[in-house]
Amino acid sequence: MCGISGYIGNKVFRESIAAMVATQAHRGPDFSDIYLDSGHAALGHNRLAIIDLSPEANQPFQDPTGRFVMIYNGEVYNYKELRQKLSKNYLFKTQCDTEVVLAAYLKYGSACIKHFNGMFAFAVWDTQQKKLFAARDRFGVKPLYYSKTPDGFYFASEIKAIRAVQKTVGFNEKVVANYFAHGSYGLPDETFYEGIHSLPGGHCLEYKDSKLHITRWYDFENLVDLKSLPQALETVKEHYKKLLEESISLRFRADVSVGINISGGIDSSLLLALVNKRRDAARIKAFTFYTGDARYDELPWVEAMIAQTQTPLQKVLFTADEVAEFTKKIAYHQDEPFGGIPTLAYAKVFAAARQQGVKVLLDGQGMDEAWAGYDYYHTNSSQTIQGQKTSASPFKTNCLNKDFLAVSKKPIYPQPFESDLLNKQFRDLFYTKIPRALRFNDRISMAFSTELREPFLDHRLVELAFAQPDKFKLCEGQTKYLLRVLLQDYAGKEITLAPKRPLQTPQREWLGTSLQPLVDEALEQILSSPYAHWFNQTAMHREWEQYKNGDRDSSFHVWQWVNFNLLLQSLV
């Protein structure tokens, strides 16, 4: 995992590309370099060495002729199998997956991405045709942002790298309004900044002669339809288990230490159980966070599973005293609003792993969306928050100025399936939960120069799960039914039948007590900022007083204020 950055245009860009690279140093502290095609392009790369640690694998990486130059972030896990196929016509000089990706591009062109199983965002510059090709993996695990201006085309792994050379970037008012009014973090191509866009997962782009063309290359809906053949539960279970074991095995390919992040859910329990079957299981470290509040901590479930596997466990304590300082650090790395204190607590896990020399971590992201694990999937509610009371809204539109509220527009998402359940899953997978969770997790892992891998987001697993009938997802009152049946082979009922817990930290309590000064500061700075006219000052103070006095069904609006203030400070 690394950081990429680039500029296509005729500006003199040596100093600017160096600034972009420096801004992303945390993404790749092992090596950095730039490539210049004078008057046409500048490419930069920060390397976090994971596979083939030798200098020969450094980037920017050129093909043997020097015509094509590539910068690449991520891992293509099936690189060994691809290398074997490609070696008939290409002489490899390294053992890294980077060279395999470029060799595949030389053979297949833009269609190479359909051969990849992994997480990636990469760009290839053709020095002869003066053309850029860039692509992002199917679900957008690895980020890619861009900005097209009159003086050229900018792109990078993080927004801050583009802002480093475009000093006048301001907020995208519609996206900010939708965040406050509807809890939206933007559509897949949007960011919170005017003129800076995200290339959606499963898309690729070409840029030539100042013209930008974006194409969707991952046809998820048709692939799911092709797999929608009725099969017995046991048959699907065994097929899914085989794919999952293969997915985990692929994601252990590394020349550095690999560990796992776990919680008390069935997803983490299943991951831990299958990892424990590996020959090197005794050397694999597990990490989990806790806050010391028994109402929220998942340690009892984690420790119950660890007792069976005997996996070395690092328990990472996160306290209210750490929130203020940690919030500033993580806000810098996120660039956009993020998910609150659970994200901060999870970030500390990566800090602990790095301190112990673990450079790669696996986690259980993606199971709830693939197997319909959230409670609102199985109701008529349009709710998108697990555990939220259907009668209450976490969004305090009364705190917004009427003109600012009028800018907002509730997002409408595609509904490509006949099934309401599948459409909700599709929304969460490509438009809401997964895109934002992947963004949160990419930034917190990279903040500590660690790589996070998502075995449950192997596209073969997601497509297979999506294609299954509702009864395999919800049965006998249990969500993610097939997964629970699968987990029964490894764990007892206290784990396999455990309900999904919507909250993992005492965010509501902390914000209303020990973290009051953090919220007071946020309100003061927002209401004295150039954006104060977006808000209803009286309503904000009223809501805050009610919250302090115990009206704490939801803390989302309070965290929004803290989050937005952090964005404001980044613009100053």
Side-chain angles (χ1 to χ4, degrees):
M1 193 182 293
C2 306
I4 66 174
S5 49
Y7 165 75
I8 311 301
N10 55 19
K11 289 172 59 177
V12 176
F13 211 72
R14 179 181 292 275
E15 291 186 4
S16 294
I17 193 66
M20 295 178 79
V21 169
T23 303
Q24 298 186 140
H26 53 281
R27 296 189 70 91
D30 296 328
F31 182 80
S32 64
D33 203 359
I34 61 175
Y35 170 87
L36 297 174
D37 186 351
S38 184
H40 300 285
L43 305 178
H45 192 265
N46 304 86
R47 186 183 182 200
L48 183 66
I50 302 293
I51 296 174
D52 186 350
L53 310 184
S54 71
E56 286 73 24
N58 289 339
Q59 301 179 48
F61 198 95
Q62 298 185 47
D63 79 304
T65 69
R67 173 180 171 178
F68 296 98
V69 186
M70 186 180 78
I71 46 178
Y72 161 58
N73 169 31
E75 309 290 351
V76 168
Y77 304 116
N78 62 331
Y79 75 99
K80 290 184 177 181
E81 291 77 12
L82 286 173
R83 178 191 175 101
Q84 189 172 4
K85 293 179 181 178
L86 295 166
S87 60
K88 299 173 183 177
N89 304 106
Y90 183 97
L91 181 62
F92 286 91
K93 63 178 183 180
T94 74
Q95 298 299 314
C96 67
D97 60 325
T98 301
E99 189 173 18
V100 173
V101 171
L102 183 54
Y105 180 79
L106 298 180
K107 180 173 178 62
Y108 302 116
S110 61
C112 66
I113 44 187
K114 295 185 178 181
H115 295 262
F116 299 157
N117 181 345
M119 55 179 190
F120 53 83
F122 69 92
V124 178
W125 174 247
D126 184 336
T127 62
Q128 286 187 15
Q129 293 191 15
K130 306 303 179 188
K131 179 180 73 173
L132 180 78
F133 172 80
R136 197 172 174 202
D137 65 73
R138 292 168 178 83
F139 302 117
V141 181
K142 293 292 97 197
L144 186 60
Y145 298 95
Y146 67 90
S147 178
K148 186 176 183 295
T149 71
D151 63 7
F153 182 77
Y154 304 79
F155 65 95
S157 296
E158 296 187 10
I159 291 171
K160 66 176 63 64
I162 297 176
R163 290 183 60 202
V165 292
Q166 291 185 1
K167 305 292 186 181
T168 59
V169 174
F171 285 129
N172 183 326
E173 186 174 356
K174 180 178 76 75
V175 174
V176 177
N178 280 348
Y179 172 61
F180 281 106
H182 306 293
S184 168
Y185 289 77
L187 293 173
D189 63 336
E190 294 178 324
T191 74
F192 280 73
Y193 300 94
E194 192 68 42
I196 298 180
H197 305 276
S198 172
L199 181 68
H203 286 65
C204 59
L205 66 81
E206 285 191 1
Y207 184 80
K208 182 181 180 183
D209 298 330
S210 300
K211 295 178 181 178
L212 175 65
H213 298 283
I214 295 176
T215 305
R216 184 187 184 211
W217 67 267
Y218 181 39
D219 189 359
F220 176 79
E221 300 91 312
N222 283 334
L223 289 168
V224 168
D225 286 342
L226 290 173
K227 296 180 180 180
S228 298
L229 298 175
Q231 291 180 307
L233 178 75
E234 189 65 24
T235 302
V236 177
K237 170 192 158 186
E238 290 303 316
H239 183 34
Y240 189 84
K241 177 183 174 182
K242 181 180 178 181
L243 286 177
L244 183 53
E245 289 176 333
E246 183 181 328
S247 174
I248 292 172
S249 179
L250 286 173
R251 282 156 183 79
F252 264 88
R253 287 181 170 176
D255 295 325
V256 297
S257 296
V258 180
I260 57 173
N261 294 340
I262 58 174
S263 64
I266 65 168
D267 311 340
S268 290
S269 299
L270 183 55
L271 175 61
L272 179 62
L274 294 178
V275 167
N276 193 55
K277 295 174 63 178
R278 293 178 55 85
R279 293 179 181 176
D280 57 351
R283 299 195 303 272
I284 299 170
K285 295 180 180 179
F287 298 84
T288 192
F289 74 77
Y290 70 106
T291 64
D293 191 321
R295 294 171 298 176
Y296 300 101
D297 285 344
E298 298 188 332
L299 270 182
W301 292 274
V302 170
E303 290 173 335
M305 194 66 193
I306 288 290
Q308 296 182 36
T309 63
Q310 296 299 305
T311 304
L313 176 65
Q314 174 71 45
K315 294 178 282 189
V316 182
L317 175 64
F318 187 73
T319 66
D321 293 340
E322 300 174 87
V323 170
E325 195 59 37
F326 221 60
T327 296
K328 294 177 183 177
K329 176 180 177 64
I330 299 306
Y332 167 78
H333 287 283
Q334 289 286 342
D335 288 319
E336 299 181 280
F338 61 96
I341 290 173
T343 303
L344 300 177
Y346 195 30
K348 194 176 178 184
V349 167
F350 293 96
R354 183 70 191 202
Q355 288 171 358
Q356 295 198 18
V358 177
K359 210 171 182 179
V360 175
L361 290 156
L362 277 63
D363 80 0
Q365 188 70 53
M367 281 295 208
D368 285 307
E369 293 76 14
W371 286 102
Y374 297 117
D375 54 8
Y376 59 77
Y377 282 145
H378 308 289
T379 69
N380 293 324
S381 171
S382 60
Q383 192 63 261
T384 59
I385 299 176
Q386 167 79 8
Q388 181 69 34
K389 294 181 179 179
T390 56
S391 60
S393 171
F395 316 126
K396 305 298 183 181
T397 55
N398 59 308
C399 293
L400 307 181
N401 177 285
K402 290 182 179 180
D403 291 337
F404 182 55
L405 179 59
V407 174
S408 72
K409 184 178 181 182
K410 188 173 184 178
I412 299 175
Y413 305 109
Q415 297 187 341
F417 298 100
E418 294 182 5
S419 161
D420 180 60
L421 174 59
L422 287 182
N423 285 328
K424 287 180 179 179
Q425 291 180 259
F426 182 80
R427 173 200 65 197
D428 284 1
L429 185 62
F430 288 101
Y431 289 89
T432 56
K433 285 193 176 294
I434 285 295
R436 68 176 180 248
L438 292 176
R439 193 252 293 173
F440 298 167
N441 292 349
D442 172 82
R443 301 309 184 279
I444 61 176
S445 63
M446 294 311 303
F448 299 99
S449 303
T450 54
E451 175 172 291
L452 179 62
R453 298 178 173 182
E454 315 280 10
F456 296 154
L457 282 177
D458 186 304
H459 64 98
R460 300 168 301 169
L461 291 170
V462 179
E463 291 161 12
L464 178 62
F466 242 75
Q468 300 313 308
D470 293 1
K471 63 183 179 181
F472 288 2
K473 300 171 183 177
L474 179 69
C475 185
E476 300 174 2
Q478 292 289 341
T479 59
K480 296 188 284 194
Y481 181 71
L482 184 139
L483 294 185
R484 295 179 191 273
V485 173
L486 177 53
L487 186 58
Q488 286 174 3
D489 294 341
Y490 308 99
K493 288 185 177 181
E494 76 277 9
I495 294 174
T496 59
L497 298 181
K500 184 170 182 62
R501 294 167 289 281
L503 302 174
Q504 295 176 298
T505 67
Q507 173 171 300
R508 294 182 299 187
E509 291 81 2
W510 286 1
L511 287 174
T513 53
S514 56
L515 296 181
Q516 282 189 24
L518 182 67
V519 183
D520 288 334
E521 179 185 48
L523 287 174
E524 179 182 350
Q525 293 183 339
I526 289 172
L527 296 177
S528 62
S529 76
Y531 300 92
H533 64 284
W534 283 357
F535 301 94
N536 182 323
Q537 178 173 338
T538 301
M540 290 179 80
H541 283 302
R542 185 189 310 117
E543 290 286 351
W544 178 222
E545 287 302 316
Q546 291 175 352
Y547 189 89
K548 288 189 289 184
N549 290 329
D551 183 4
R552 299 174 187 167
D553 282 344
S554 172
S555 61
F556 185 71
H557 62 292
V558 179
W559 181 255
Q560 282 181 316
W561 301 336
V562 174
N563 232 174
F564 184 66
N565 182 51
L566 294 166
L567 289 188
L568 282 178
Q569 304 315 308
S570 75
L571 284 185
V572 175

